[in-house]
Amino acid sequence: MHNDKKEMKWIYEEIVGRIPPFSLLSYKYSILLQLFFLLILGITLGFIFNLKTISLLYGSTAVLVAVLWSLLILQLGPTLRRFRAPLSKDENRLLERYKEILFHRNHYEIIPGIAIFILFMIYLFYYGSDLLEEWLGENPSSILLLFISLLIWDLCYRMGLGIWTSILALWRSVELNSIAEERTELEHTPYTELRSLRRLDINNVFFGIISLLLIPLLQQDQFLVAIIILFTVFIILSSVVSADIISKVPWLPPDIYNLVKEASFAYVGTSFRGIPHTTPVVYVFDGQSVFFNTSKEAKKLKILRNNNKIAFLIDKRDMSNIYENKAVLFTGEVKIYGLLDIPLLFSRMLQARRLFMRKYPEYTRKYSTSQLPRVWQLTPLIARILIEVKPTKIIYWRGAKQISVPV
């Protein structure tokens, strides 16, 4: 376990983490303390050398960016340490390779940071002297130059980490999606693990957005402003593409995926104050989530508003041979869609409606007519409510055999 933790740290944090008092604190707080000391040191030097207020503001902004970047980057190690092995040898091999490269013992992640630092320092001292004067004034002290170099290194190092993690995440997502197409039977990567990878990609999107805070510091140099914008676009674009690819990787193994995709009916089990309630429903599956809709007056909706726990059973029956029967039970919670979800989840709601119309054309045509009672009509959010099943446990039956599938 000790070796795993060591491998899940970047080289800069490893080195500083061995120096008291940082070594006495947890990994996360030691990084924050380092940056806090950097901020205090910068303000102190600013007052000693009578720097302009704007210079102190620039330095504080740079430290803030480093802090925010660190908080996002530091989530990588703990998240990947908790990662459960996929039930697919090829997918497991890929993700282990991804972690090995990301936190390589030779610390290749430092290479982009060093390259950015060297190029930036050459540009700053030979071509960006006006920028240096704006920050530190004329003829700055060597102490100030040393401090600003340390701060620039801190930023460049983390910029390099942003590039390193974004490129590897995109490679990981592309490869995982490709390998997932070759799955057989019950091979899969659990839903929670795919969601964790997607969350790390979203963190990288914020990493890119935070980079824009550096623009005021560089506003006098349009070339450097353009570089920051390009860096931001690269991080955001690569991370968004990676997150989108991960969202398309099936989290269900092929056997269950095909059953859920092909079956037409399901049974919803709910409970309130110890009283169970079961009803049949039609549903759709978009490859990632299971949706069903229900009347605003339905008892199951009233129960789910008070207790969002659900049992959702899908089965396929062969009356001539019971050993050919298949069924899958999702137990978990539900997401009930309402008016407040329209701004952010409208495309998701629209996609679910299209799937219903495609899968059950006669049903949707008949129940869309105004001749039916209002509670039966398929008017979204007015008469019918869309509900998404969020499983926390899956049990699969194939013939007479029961299989628990990790979510």
Side-chain angles (χ1 to χ4, degrees), residues 228-366:
I228 290 296
I229 292 175
L230 287 174
F231 172 80
T232 302
V233 169
F234 171 79
I235 296 295
I236 292 176
L237 187 60
S238 60
S239 301
V240 166
V241 172
S242 178
D244 181 64
I245 294 173
I246 280 290
S247 70
K248 291 179 171 60
V249 175
W251 56 274
L252 287 172
D255 274 12
I256 300 177
Y257 184 94
N258 293 331
L259 171 61
V260 176
K261 195 79 174 176
E262 295 168 4
S264 299
F265 299 96
Y267 299 89
V268 171
T270 56
S271 176
F272 184 58
R273 293 179 179 173
I275 301 176
H277 182 262
T278 305
T279 53
V281 296
V282 293
Y283 73 93
V284 293
F285 177 56
D286 67 356
Q288 296 295 321
S289 298
V290 175
F291 298 92
F292 67 96
N293 59 48
T294 187
S295 165
K296 289 185 72 172
E297 305 299 323
K299 184 175 181 179
K300 59 179 169 290
L301 179 61
K302 296 176 181 178
I303 293 174
L304 288 170
R305 290 194 188 278
N306 289 283
N307 176 16
N308 70 343
K309 301 292 190 296
I310 192 172
F312 195 85
L313 177 69
I314 302 170
D315 69 348
K316 180 180 179 182
R317 306 178 189 180
D318 186 337
M319 303 304 293
S320 62
N321 184 357
I322 63 172
Y323 291 101
E324 291 298 319
N325 291 343
K326 293 181 179 181
V328 60
L329 173 65
F330 298 112
T331 57
E333 301 177 348
V334 297
K335 158 69 178 171
I336 301 174
Y337 285 76
L339 290 173
L340 297 178
D341 295 304
I342 292 178
L344 295 177
L345 300 173
F346 179 74
S347 62
R348 193 173 179 84
M349 298 167 72
L350 187 62
Q351 172 68 5
R353 180 173 172 80
R354 288 172 179 164
L355 289 172
F356 270 108
M357 296 178 71
R358 190 183 309 150
K359 187 175 182 180
Y360 308 100
E362 294 184 9
Y363 166 81
T364 52
R365 193 181 308 115
K366 180 179 179 180

Side-chain angles (χ1 to χ4, degrees), residues 103-140:
F103 294 94
H104 200 279
R105 61 182 181 181
N106 292 334
H107 294 291
Y108 295 131
E109 84 279 352
I110 201 174
I111 295 175
I114 292 176
I116 294 171
F117 177 73
I118 293 174
L119 291 173
F120 183 81
M121 293 301 282
I122 291 174
Y123 180 85
L124 184 64
F125 283 95
Y126 289 95
Y127 304 99
S129 56
D130 292 341
L131 192 60
L132 200 58
E133 184 177 325
E134 170 68 15
W135 292 345
L136 304 178
E138 296 181 3
N139 302 317

